[in-house]
Amino acid sequence: VQLQASGGGLVQAGGSLRLSCVASGRTFTSYVMGWFRQAPGKEREFVAAMTWNGGSTYYADSVKGRFTISRDNAKNTVYLQMNSLKPEDTAVYYCAAEPSRTIPRRWENFGSKGQGTQVTVSS
């Protein structure tokens, strides 16, 4: 499946952004969808993911309570709503997909990966 992420930008601390990732190429509904991020000089890290029907979601501790992952299978799109943004959320955000019943937590375990979208949070 091919993935196209968008929605990044510059926002002040405390603000919100919503990222979108559109999937194409295969049956979107059978995939776990995830978001990862990579800040300058740091390793890529897991942010959030959800199963195909939304029955299971998982969040990194650093974003729990502030970020929400959701999906619209009719639009082949997964979203990441980011609220109460902090400067440490600044990173390139990537979406990923994997045909799985459980949620992988590692970037290497997602077979499809999109290009990143930059999120910059100013203090």
Side-chain angles (χ1 to χ4, degrees):
V1 63
Q2 290 76 48
L3 304 171
Q4 180 74 36
S6 62
L10 173 64
V11 63
Q12 289 189 332
S16 298
L17 279 175
R18 189 177 79 158
L19 306 182
S20 300
C21 177
V22 179
S24 61
R26 291 202 176 181
T27 305
F28 176 75
T29 53
S30 64
Y31 281 72
V32 168
M33 300 300 297
W35 288 95
F36 289 78
R37 67 186 182 186
Q38 187 167 22
K42 296 187 177 181
E43 293 187 354
R44 186 177 284 115
E45 64 175 355
F46 174 87
V47 175
M50 70 188 307
T51 51
W52 71 274
N53 62 353
S56 294
T57 56
Y58 190 79
Y59 295 91
D61 288 342
S62 58
V63 307
K64 204 172 293 183
R66 300 187 298 121
F67 290 11
T68 302
I69 188 171
S70 63
R71 64 193 292 166
D72 184 338
N73 288 339
K75 295 182 178 180
N76 285 356
T77 302
V78 63
Y79 305 98
L80 186 68
Q81 178 66 45
M82 305 185 294
N83 298 330
S84 303
L85 282 161
K86 305 174 182 180
E88 50 264 43
D89 294 318
T90 295
V92 177
Y93 283 71
Y94 300 87
C95 62
E98 175 64 19
S100 173
R101 294 184 178 181
T102 59
I103 298 178
R105 312 283 172 79
R106 295 170 57 89
W107 177 252
E108 295 77 17
N109 295 138
F110 281 82
S112 299
K113 299 154 185 173
Q115 93 297 348
T117 185
Q118 176 71 47
V119 171
T120 303
V121 183
S122 63
S123 56

